[in-house]
Amino acid sequence: MAKKQYPCDSFPHLIHGADYNPEQWMAQKDIWDADMELMGKANCNEMTLGIFAWSAIEPREGEYDCSFLDEIIEKIGSNGGKVILSTPSGARPRWLAEKYPQVLRVDAQGRREHIRGRHNHCFTSPVYREKVHSINRLLAQRYGNHPAVIAWHVSNEYSGQCRCPLCVAAFQNYLREKFHDDIGELNQAYWTSFWSHTYDSFEQIEPPGELTETGIHGLNLDWNRFVTRQTVSFIENEIAPLREYSSLPVTVNMMYEFTELDYHKVAEVIDFASWDCYPEWHNGDNAVIAQRAGFWHDLYRSLKKKPFLLMESTPSLVNWKPYNKPKAPGLDVLSSIQAIAHGSDSVQYFQWRKSRGSSEKLHGAVVGHDGTGDTRVFRSVQTTGSILKKIDEIAGSYVDAEVALIFDWENMWVLEDCQGFSNVDKKYMETCYAYHRIFWERGINCDIVSPHGDLSGYKLVIAPMLYLTDEATARNLENYVQRGGTLYGTYMMGTVDGNDLCYLGGVPGAGLKNVFGLQVEEMDNLYPEERRHASLGGVSYPLEDYCETVKLLGAKAIAHYTDGYYRDTPAVTECTFGRGKAIYQACRDSGGLKEQILADLLEKLDIVSTVDTREALPHGVTAHSRTDGQHTYVFAENYLETEAPAVRLHRPMENLLTGQIEDHCKLTAYGFSIYKSL
Ligand code: GLA
Ligand code: ZN
């Protein structure tokens, strides 16, 4: 039975807050007082402080001044609010880089950066690590047990790479360790005899870059892994003093469609996940935009298998997209509630108050330059806050999913890197979204998991385009099916191993031929306008991009190609393996084929929607549920600006916003309903 798990144990509530930078208003303390009043009015109960406050706290090396933090934390606390305190390593003071240039990154052309911007430090530099460690220790000692502080927000949006001599040496050591100090082993794993690129020693290895080797795919993959590892080790260095002096939970704020870091690895060192969600609302179909944002909400929830925090979102607009459109009235509230529906225990904004100058002065904020609460945006935030108060009991409850979709950063990197298939766009992300959409449209909860994750609790696991399938993944999938699970794999699965070397002896490799009962023979890569077709149950479905031909080795075909030189051969297969089943979709459909196969599977596996439907909900409508083991909470959401047809519930429930008992709801434009089981 699910039980409550809170991101921040000392504050078992839904959090409504924002990034707050009072250090920008040090010369105008009246603004601080106005802020306190406005926070209450906005129904906010949290502020995230200190993200970019390093030079305010340590204006000169070793000279610390925490008075502004003391004062503001005190003010927020006595105003009834809580603080998530950030470590300030996302942006460093000028003196630090001036005195220790090694903290500045070296780019892919070998150039050392000047002092500028943020999120641009060498993660290997011992000096940077030491300076960060010192200021974090100070913060932990001073605020680690403060009653108003509820969590640590470590740095800000870790990203980027550095190729300075320190990083190069660390990379070489990483490889030395991985290949047991045996350069022959590395050469073998990297297949360096190709083009005579054999290494004689680890000292010869340079990271891939604009002027260096990029053709060795195993090296590229290991470089990406190293970047994650070095970032994680930097995070561990940040967290060490926090853990020493404080028992507060630790998070890092992650990002939307972020490709550089393997967040499955980052998740291992934090206590709860949080992320910054900035979809491009209104640029196209909001139903699609909502579903894609939902994918990432699902992913961040699944990272730690517990409620996460929506650490940043804009209350209106951003200022860094090609076109910066505000969220429409109604959608602003709905997009916040969306996070809660997917398992977030917070709605937080970037930013509380608009800065007056510099690059983000036109970015949306709860409080604008007018300085009042008398704006449309402020009133929307107030509304969201009052809704969160009404549904506060949902905090700590969890989204239970019977379906999981495997998403893997390593797979994304190697697919991006590999030359073959379509070199324009392999569409890995798109394909993951397309499978996720099937569940989103039906109101079926879906987790997004690592290929190494625990799959035992799922009735159905989808593994789109798992081109890189290492041994551990193959065993994980095999055991899952063996024990009764239903696995849905697709074209490209099991092509390369964990070193990005092609499997010998037939694909899918690593024993998966037995699980799927087939071997792939050939891939037809279609031109963009070309279509092929597959027939399933007498219906013809269009296919695009990829059609593999397969030899059956125990599987049975459930759909056939109807054209191409592979006409009448299997397009989709099913194989019984152990107590479970493995489905293989050998082709990419343009929409329809996978939907039909999955509809049949959902029926067979008795996987039902959180609302009363056996089909896709009306376009733009979705539903989610959370549970604390005792009560179920159902969210129904309409992302279109038109009213939606009624959504029926499985049984009468209490509408948490009105107190009424209802068995269906009418969703207005950008409307939503939130129910509790009786
Ligand atoms: C990111 C950063 C914030 C701010 C916002 C603007 O998420 O973490 O500091 O720059 O973007 O949207
Ligand atoms: Zn470096």
Side-chain angles (χ1 to χ4, degrees):
M1 199 196 320
K3 65 173 188 6
K4 289 208 172 203
Q5 288 190 85
Y6 302 96
C8 311
D9 279 325
S10 66
F11 193 63
H13 297 282
L14 294 179
I15 293 170
H16 189 221
D19 280 17
Y20 180 37
N21 305 301
E23 67 278 8
Q24 292 178 14
W25 304 95
M26 222 87 105
Q28 280 167 276
K29 289 284 190 66
D30 54 315
I31 297 250
W32 290 20
D33 293 326
D35 283 334
M36 294 308 118
E37 207 193 310
L38 288 166
M39 282 170 198
K41 262 198 188 161
N43 295 312
C44 282
N45 57 13
E46 182 276 340
M47 288 290 131
T48 306
L49 291 177
I51 305 176
F52 298 114
W54 195 336
S55 62
I57 303 168
E58 191 181 0
R60 279 160 297 279
E61 187 172 12
E63 251 179 61
Y64 297 106
D65 179 3
C66 288
S67 54
F68 99 91
L69 267 183
D70 289 351
E71 195 182 333
I72 199 75
I73 292 176
E74 188 51 45
K75 272 188 194 293
I76 293 171
S78 57
N79 202 32
K82 296 290 176 190
V83 167
I84 293 181
L85 191 56
S86 186
T87 66
S89 65
R92 67 185 118 67
R94 200 170 287 278
W95 59 258
L96 208 161
E98 239 163 35
K99 180 155 177 205
Y100 308 102
Q102 64 159 256
V103 307
L104 298 166
R105 277 185 188 161
V106 170
D107 73 5
Q109 290 195 353
R111 299 171 304 189
R112 174 94 55 190
E113 277 195 7
H114 289 222
I115 299 172
R116 66 189 188 118
R118 60 172 179 174
H119 305 161
N120 53 3
H121 331 285
C122 170
F123 287 139
T124 306
S125 157
V127 171
Y128 200 60
R129 286 181 177 224
E130 183 201 312
K131 295 293 170 195
V132 168
H133 194 279
S134 302
I135 196 158
N136 289 9
R137 188 176 56 234
L138 174 99
L139 293 172
Q141 284 171 332
R142 203 170 178 99
Y143 305 110
N145 299 300
H146 193 294
V149 181
I150 58 170
W152 294 106
H153 172 295
V154 177
S155 199
N156 195 60
E157 295 189 339
Y158 288 104
S159 63
Q161 314 185 341
C162 173
R163 289 172 174 78
C164 75
L166 294 167
C167 285
V168 173
F171 181 46
Q172 291 167 349
N173 282 335
Y174 167 76
L175 297 179
R176 246 188 219 107
E177 205 180 299
K178 172 168 180 181
F179 294 107
H180 314 98
D181 214 0
D182 178 353
I183 197 69
E185 195 183 323
L186 176 140
N187 280 315
Q188 195 58 33
Y190 286 179
W191 213 251
T192 51
S193 51
F194 181 80
W195 288 352
S196 274
H197 285 189
T198 314
Y199 292 103
D200 297 320
S201 72
F202 285 90
E203 290 76 40
Q204 291 175 333
I205 299 172
E206 295 179 297
E210 284 168 39
L211 306 173
T212 55
E213 181 72 78
T214 53
I216 301 178
H217 288 176
L219 176 78
N220 299 345
L221 173 58
D222 274 345
W223 169 251
N224 281 323
R225 286 177 173 143
F226 167 78
V227 170
T228 290
R229 201 188 83 147
Q230 208 62 351
T231 306
V232 168
S233 115
F234 187 87
I235 297 173
E236 287 178 312
N237 171 70
E238 287 227 30
I239 294 177
L242 306 179
R243 297 242 188 264
E244 195 176 335
Y245 298 101
S246 162
S247 55
L248 294 175
V250 170
T251 192
V252 298
N253 54 335
M254 294 174 266
M255 290 179 263
Y256 183 66
E257 288 189 351
F258 190 64
T259 58
E260 290 174 26
L261 294 174
D262 181 348
Y263 281 151
H264 285 126
K265 299 261 161 36
V266 173
E268 289 168 13
V269 299
I270 56 175
D271 298 314
F272 66 89
S274 69
W275 80 290
D276 304 342
C277 176
Y278 296 101
E280 212 161 303
W281 293 110
H282 309 297
N283 190 6
D285 183 352
N286 270 345
V288 174
I289 297 163
Q291 177 256 320
R292 291 177 176 212
F295 178 98
W296 290 87
H297 282 308
D298 286 341
L299 185 152
Y300 289 114
R301 178 189 71 244
S302 308
L303 273 190
K304 298 297 284 185
K305 292 220 176 297
K306 70 182 204 190
F308 60 95
L309 298 189
L310 171 63
M311 191 58 84
E312 291 180 26
S313 60
T314 177
S316 54
L317 45 67
V318 296
N319 72 334
W320 45 265
K321 303 220 178 199
Y323 305 94
N324 296 291
K325 189 177 173 62
K327 294 190 254 190
L331 183 77
D332 45 12
V333 178
L334 172 63
S335 61
S336 297
I337 298 303
Q338 176 185 28
I340 308 288
H342 283 265
S344 172
D345 267 8
S346 81
V347 172
Q348 291 156 279
Y349 310 101
F350 180 87
Q351 48 195 331
W352 168 254
R353 181 183 280 272
K354 252 182 216 192
S355 53
R356 187 161 184 205
S358 290
S359 64
E360 288 182 335
K361 60 183 180 295
L362 300 182
H363 192 289
V366 179
V367 181
H369 294 137
D370 65 298
T372 74
D374 190 18
T375 62
R376 182 190 69 76
V377 171
F378 190 92
R379 283 189 289 276
S380 281
V381 169
Q382 266 180 322
T383 303
T384 301
S386 69
I387 292 168
L388 295 181
K389 279 183 181 166
K390 280 193 190 149
I391 63 168
D392 190 57
E393 64 177 83
I394 290 177
S397 63
Y398 192 64
V399 175
D400 259 338
E402 294 180 318
V403 179
L405 186 148
I406 291 179
F407 175 75
D408 184 31
W409 274 270
E410 293 196 353
N411 186 52
M412 174 162 53
W413 298 333
V414 296
L415 266 176
E416 196 53 42
D417 202 26
C418 98
Q419 286 153 276
F421 307 115
S422 154
N423 280 322
V424 179
D425 187 359
K426 309 275 188 303
K427 301 189 192 159
Y428 177 52
M429 206 60 253
E430 291 285 311
T431 306
C432 289
Y433 284 146
Y435 282 95
H436 176 264
R437 184 167 311 133
I438 296 170
F439 307 107
W440 187 90
E441 286 178 345
R442 288 168 177 262
I444 293 173
N445 296 335
C446 176
D447 282 354
I448 312 289
V449 299
S450 147
H452 299 148
D454 176 7
L455 305 176
S456 58
Y458 302 109
K459 288 184 180 173
L460 175 63
V461 171
I462 319 283
M465 294 175 73
L466 208 57
Y467 168 80
L468 184 155
T469 312
D470 60 20
E471 275 291 336
T473 299
R475 297 293 71 78
N476 196 26
L477 298 177
E478 182 177 30
N479 288 336
Y480 168 70
V481 182
Q482 180 87 52
R483 292 180 190 145
T486 299
L487 174 65
Y488 192 108
T490 79
Y491 51 94
M492 295 189 196
M493 174 175 247
T495 307
V496 299
D497 68 9
N499 284 319
D500 205 357
L501 288 176
C502 291
Y503 278 112
L504 300 180
V507 164
L512 290 176
K513 275 194 304 184
N514 300 332
V515 178
F516 287 98
L518 57 78
Q519 181 170 331
V520 175
E521 220 163 34
E522 205 181 347
M523 169 72 98
D524 185 9
N525 300 299
L526 305 182
Y527 288 109
E529 314 71 37
E530 257 190 309
R531 293 292 175 271
R532 294 286 181 263
H533 295 83
S535 145
L536 170 75
V539 180
S540 170
Y541 297 94
L543 310 174
E544 58 192 44
D545 300 336
Y546 301 120
C547 295
E548 280 176 349
T549 53
V550 302
K551 258 197 305 227
L552 299 185
L553 306 171
K556 66 168 200 273
I558 54 176
H560 289 91
Y561 293 113
T562 57
D563 42 16
Y565 61 84
Y566 32 82
R567 182 193 170 118
D568 293 333
T569 69
V572 184
T573 65
E574 185 184 297
C575 184
T576 302
F577 180 83
R579 299 213 305 269
K581 278 212 164 21
I583 322 294
Y584 191 84
Q585 184 179 339
C587 47
R588 176 180 284 164
D589 65 285
S590 319
L593 180 64
K594 60 183 166 318
E595 283 75 3
Q596 189 52 54
I597 299 168
L598 281 160
D600 295 343
L601 279 176
L602 292 172
E603 192 75 41
K604 269 191 216 145
L605 296 170
D606 194 28
I607 298 172
V608 293
S609 169
T610 55
V611 294
D612 187 16
T613 181
R614 289 265 166 186
E615 284 157 24
L617 290 158
H619 184 70
V621 175
T622 185
H624 297 89
S625 70
R626 295 178 64 156
T627 176
D628 59 9
Q630 206 185 351
H631 289 107
T632 302
Y633 300 94
V634 170
F635 295 73
E637 308 133 59
N638 171 22
Y639 290 90
L640 297 195
E641 58 177 340
T642 47
E643 193 180 298
V647 174
R648 288 193 318 274
L649 305 174
H650 286 295
R651 54 195 70 82
M653 298 182 90
E654 178 193 346
N655 183 325
L656 274 184
L657 302 179
T658 64
Q660 305 288 310
I661 308 297
E662 296 169 358
D663 64 1
H664 71 282
C665 60
K666 276 274 206 199
L667 298 170
T668 54
Y670 301 133
F672 57 88
S673 294
I674 307 170
Y675 293 101
K676 178 185 181 180
S677 56
L678 298 177

